[in-house]
Amino acid sequence: MKFENLLSSQLVGAENTEVVVSHVSVPPRTSLPMHWHPGEEFAYVLDGSFVLHQEGEDDVQYQKGDVGVVPFKKVHTIETHDEPTTILVFRVHESGQPERVLVD
């Protein structure tokens, strides 16, 4: 799996808030560890597909061209299928906080 941050910038007029834009490549048949973010996460699927598992929610299937949102501090993970998946991720979160927090 490869996470490449393309941009990290303070938001003007939104004190203690920043936006991070990342290019994420996930190999086939991969499950990410359960985690959450100190903000909201917006994802656009560039290629491939995955299932989004969110704590307390029904699973949602995403494929190329789909856009999704993971709410503030929502515990979640994704699982890819038989093909690699590429996602463009936008996160708006609290400045100075880790980008993701793993959950046991």
Side-chain angles (χ1 to χ4, degrees):
M1 176 174 13
K2 182 180 175 188
F3 291 91
E4 179 185 1
N5 286 345
L6 304 174
L7 172 75
S8 180
S9 180
Q10 292 293 117
L11 290 178
V12 176
E15 191 173 323
N16 297 318
T17 304
E18 65 183 341
V19 64
V20 178
V21 179
S22 304
H23 185 265
V24 180
S25 300
V26 186
R29 295 171 297 285
T30 299
S31 291
L32 302 183
M34 292 295 283
H35 63 282
W36 57 270
H37 304 280
E40 289 192 78
E41 183 175 51
F42 306 88
Y44 175 68
V45 184
L46 297 170
D47 219 6
S49 63
F50 65 88
V51 175
L52 172 66
H53 306 285
Q54 295 184 88
E55 194 171 72
E57 305 289 336
D58 291 336
D59 292 348
V60 180
Q61 172 75 41
Y62 288 92
Q63 58 190 8
K64 183 177 180 176
D66 288 343
V67 178
V69 177
V70 176
F72 179 70
K73 294 188 178 182
K74 182 73 162 181
V75 174
H76 66 285
T77 186
I78 68 166
E79 181 179 345
T80 59
H81 301 295
D82 293 333
E83 58 191 357
T85 299
T86 306
I87 310 164
L88 187 60
V89 177
F90 297 82
R91 287 186 308 279
V92 179
H93 65 93
E94 301 168 6
S95 298
Q97 297 297 313
E99 289 182 29
R100 70 193 51 79
V101 178
L102 298 179
V103 175
D104 294 331

Coordinates of all heavy atoms in Angstrom, one line a residue, residues 54-88:
Q54 N -17.7 0.7 8.0 CA -17.7 1.7 9.0 C -18.4 1.2 10.2 O -19.5 0.5 10.1 CB -18.5 3.0 8.5 CG -17.8 3.7 7.4 CD -18.6 4.9 7.0 OE1 -18.3 6.0 7.6 NE2 -19.5 4.8 6.1
E55 N -17.9 1.4 11.4 CA -18.5 0.9 12.6 C -19.9 1.4 12.7 O -20.2 2.6 12.6 CB -17.6 1.5 13.8 CG -17.9 0.8 15.1 CD -16.9 1.3 16.1 OE1 -16.9 2.4 16.6 OE2 -16.0 0.5 16.5
G56 N -20.8 0.4 13.0 CA -22.2 0.7 13.2 C -23.0 1.0 11.9 O -24.2 1.4 12.0
E57 N -22.4 0.8 10.7 CA -23.1 1.2 9.4 C -23.0 -0.1 8.5 O -22.2 -1.0 8.7 CB -22.3 2.3 8.7 CG -22.2 3.6 9.5 CD -23.5 4.3 9.7 OE1 -24.4 4.2 8.9 OE2 -23.5 5.1 10.7
D58 N -23.9 -0.1 7.5 CA -23.9 -1.1 6.5 C -22.7 -0.9 5.6 O -22.2 0.2 5.4 CB -25.1 -1.1 5.6 CG -26.4 -1.5 6.4 OD1 -26.3 -2.2 7.4 OD2 -27.5 -1.1 5.9
D59 N -22.1 -2.0 5.1 CA -21.0 -1.9 4.2 C -21.4 -1.2 2.9 O -22.6 -1.4 2.5 CB -20.4 -3.3 3.8 CG -19.7 -3.9 5.0 OD1 -19.5 -3.2 6.0 OD2 -19.4 -5.1 4.9
V60 N -20.5 -0.4 2.3 CA -20.8 0.2 1.0 C -19.7 -0.1 0.0 O -18.5 0.0 0.3 CB -20.9 1.8 1.2 CG1 -21.2 2.5 -0.1 CG2 -21.9 2.1 2.3
Q61 N -20.2 -0.5 -1.2 CA -19.3 -0.8 -2.3 C -19.0 0.5 -3.1 O -19.9 1.2 -3.5 CB -19.9 -1.8 -3.2 CG -19.2 -2.1 -4.5 CD -18.0 -3.0 -4.3 OE1 -18.0 -3.9 -3.5 NE2 -16.9 -2.6 -5.0
Y62 N -17.7 0.7 -3.4 CA -17.3 1.9 -4.2 C -16.5 1.3 -5.4 O -15.8 0.4 -5.3 CB -16.4 2.8 -3.5 CG -17.2 3.6 -2.4 CD1 -17.3 3.2 -1.1 CD2 -17.8 4.8 -2.8 CE1 -18.0 3.9 -0.2 CE2 -18.5 5.5 -1.8 CZ -18.6 5.1 -0.5 OH -19.4 5.8 0.4
Q63 N -16.7 2.0 -6.6 CA -15.9 1.6 -7.8 C -15.5 2.9 -8.5 O -15.8 4.0 -8.1 CB -16.8 0.7 -8.7 CG -18.1 1.4 -9.1 CD -19.0 0.3 -9.8 OE1 -18.7 -0.9 -9.9 NE2 -20.0 0.8 -10.4
K64 N -14.7 2.7 -9.5 CA -14.2 3.8 -10.3 C -15.2 4.9 -10.6 O -16.3 4.5 -11.0 CB -13.6 3.3 -11.6 CG -12.9 4.4 -12.4 CD -12.3 3.8 -13.7 CE -11.7 4.9 -14.5 NZ -11.0 4.3 -15.7
G65 N -14.9 6.1 -10.2 CA -15.8 7.2 -10.5 C -16.7 7.6 -9.3 O -17.3 8.6 -9.3
D66 N -16.8 6.7 -8.3 CA -17.6 7.0 -7.1 C -16.9 7.9 -6.1 O -15.6 8.0 -6.1 CB -17.9 5.7 -6.3 CG -18.9 4.8 -7.1 OD1 -19.6 5.3 -8.0 OD2 -19.0 3.6 -6.7
V67 N -17.7 8.7 -5.4 CA -17.2 9.6 -4.4 C -17.9 9.2 -3.0 O -19.1 9.0 -3.0 CB -17.5 11.1 -4.7 CG1 -17.0 12.0 -3.6 CG2 -16.9 11.4 -6.0
G68 N -17.1 9.2 -2.0 CA -17.7 8.9 -0.7 C -17.1 9.8 0.4 O -16.1 10.5 0.3
V69 N -17.8 9.7 1.6 CA -17.4 10.5 2.8 C -17.3 9.6 4.0 O -18.2 8.8 4.2 CB -18.5 11.6 3.0 CG1 -18.1 12.4 4.3 CG2 -18.6 12.5 1.8
V70 N -16.3 9.8 4.8 CA -16.2 9.2 6.1 C -16.3 10.3 7.1 O -15.5 11.2 7.1 CB -14.9 8.4 6.3 CG1 -14.8 7.8 7.7 CG2 -14.8 7.3 5.2
P71 N -17.3 10.2 8.0 CA -17.5 11.3 9.0 C -16.4 11.4 10.0 O -15.6 10.5 10.2 CB -18.8 10.9 9.7 CG -19.5 10.0 8.8 CD -18.4 9.2 8.0
F72 N -16.3 12.6 10.6 CA -15.4 12.9 11.7 C -15.3 11.8 12.7 O -16.2 11.4 13.3 CB -15.9 14.2 12.3 CG -15.1 14.8 13.5 CD1 -13.8 15.3 13.2 CD2 -15.5 14.7 14.8 CE1 -13.0 15.8 14.2 CE2 -14.8 15.2 15.8 CZ -13.5 15.8 15.5
K73 N -14.0 11.3 12.9 CA -13.7 10.3 13.9 C -14.4 9.0 13.8 O -14.5 8.2 14.7 CB -13.8 10.9 15.3 CG -12.8 12.0 15.6 CD -12.7 12.4 17.0 CE -11.7 13.5 17.3 NZ -11.6 13.9 18.7
K74 N -15.0 8.7 12.6 CA -15.7 7.5 12.4 C -14.7 6.3 12.2 O -13.9 6.4 11.3 CB -16.6 7.6 11.2 CG -17.5 6.4 10.9 CD -18.6 6.3 11.9 CE -19.7 5.4 11.5 NZ -20.7 5.3 12.4
V75 N -14.8 5.3 13.0 CA -13.9 4.1 12.8 C -14.3 3.4 11.6 O -15.5 3.1 11.3 CB -14.0 3.2 14.1 CG1 -13.2 1.9 13.9 CG2 -13.5 3.9 15.3
H76 N -13.3 3.1 10.7 CA -13.6 2.5 9.4 C -12.3 1.7 8.9 O -11.2 1.9 9.4 CB -14.0 3.5 8.4 CG -12.9 4.5 8.1 ND1 -12.6 5.5 8.9 CD2 -12.2 4.6 7.0 CE1 -11.6 6.2 8.4 NE2 -11.3 5.7 7.2
T77 N -12.6 1.0 7.8 CA -11.5 0.4 7.0 C -12.0 0.2 5.6 O -13.2 0.3 5.4 CB -11.0 -0.9 7.6 OG1 -9.9 -1.4 6.9 CG2 -12.1 -2.0 7.6
I78 N -11.1 -0.2 4.7 CA -11.5 -0.6 3.3 C -10.9 -1.9 3.0 O -9.9 -2.3 3.6 CB -11.2 0.4 2.2 CG1 -9.7 0.5 2.0 CG2 -11.8 1.8 2.5 CD1 -9.3 1.2 0.7
E79 N -11.6 -2.6 2.1 CA -11.1 -3.9 1.7 C -11.2 -3.9 0.1 O -12.3 -3.7 -0.4 CB -12.0 -5.0 2.3 CG -11.6 -6.4 1.9 CD -12.5 -7.4 2.6 OE1 -13.2 -7.1 3.5 OE2 -12.5 -8.6 2.1
T80 N -10.1 -4.2 -0.5 CA -10.1 -4.3 -2.0 C -10.4 -5.7 -2.5 O -10.4 -6.6 -1.7 CB -8.7 -3.8 -2.6 OG1 -7.7 -4.7 -2.1 CG2 -8.4 -2.4 -2.2
H81 N -10.7 -5.8 -3.8 CA -11.1 -7.1 -4.4 C -9.9 -7.6 -5.2 O -8.8 -7.5 -4.7 CB -12.3 -6.9 -5.3 CG -13.5 -6.3 -4.5 ND1 -14.2 -7.0 -3.5 CD2 -14.2 -5.2 -4.6 CE1 -15.1 -6.3 -3.0 NE2 -15.2 -5.2 -3.6
D82 N -10.2 -8.1 -6.4 CA -9.1 -8.8 -7.1 C -8.3 -7.9 -8.0 O -7.5 -8.3 -8.8 CB -9.8 -9.8 -8.1 CG -10.4 -11.0 -7.3 OD1 -9.9 -11.3 -6.2 OD2 -11.4 -11.6 -7.8
E83 N -8.5 -6.6 -7.8 CA -7.7 -5.6 -8.6 C -7.1 -4.5 -7.7 O -7.7 -4.3 -6.7 CB -8.6 -5.0 -9.7 CG -9.8 -4.3 -9.1 CD -10.8 -3.9 -10.2 OE1 -10.6 -4.1 -11.4 OE2 -11.9 -3.3 -9.8
P84 N -6.0 -3.9 -8.1 CA -5.5 -2.8 -7.4 C -6.5 -1.6 -7.4 O -7.3 -1.5 -8.3 CB -4.2 -2.4 -8.0 CG -4.3 -3.0 -9.4 CD -5.2 -4.2 -9.3
T85 N -6.5 -0.8 -6.4 CA -7.4 0.3 -6.3 C -6.6 1.6 -6.0 O -5.6 1.6 -5.2 CB -8.4 0.1 -5.1 OG1 -9.1 -1.1 -5.4 CG2 -9.3 1.3 -5.0
T86 N -7.0 2.7 -6.7 CA -6.3 4.0 -6.5 C -7.4 5.0 -6.1 O -8.4 5.1 -6.8 CB -5.6 4.4 -7.8 OG1 -4.7 3.4 -8.3 CG2 -4.8 5.7 -7.6
I87 N -7.1 5.7 -5.1 CA -8.1 6.7 -4.5 C -7.4 8.0 -4.3 O -6.3 8.1 -3.8 CB -8.6 6.2 -3.2 CG1 -9.1 4.7 -3.3 CG2 -9.7 7.1 -2.6 CD1 -9.2 4.0 -1.9
L88 N -8.1 9.1 -4.6 CA -7.7 10.5 -4.3 C -8.5 10.8 -3.1 O -9.7 10.9 -3.1 CB -8.0 11.4 -5.5 CG -7.4 12.8 -5.3 CD1 -5.9 12.8 -5.2 CD2 -7.9 13.7 -6.5

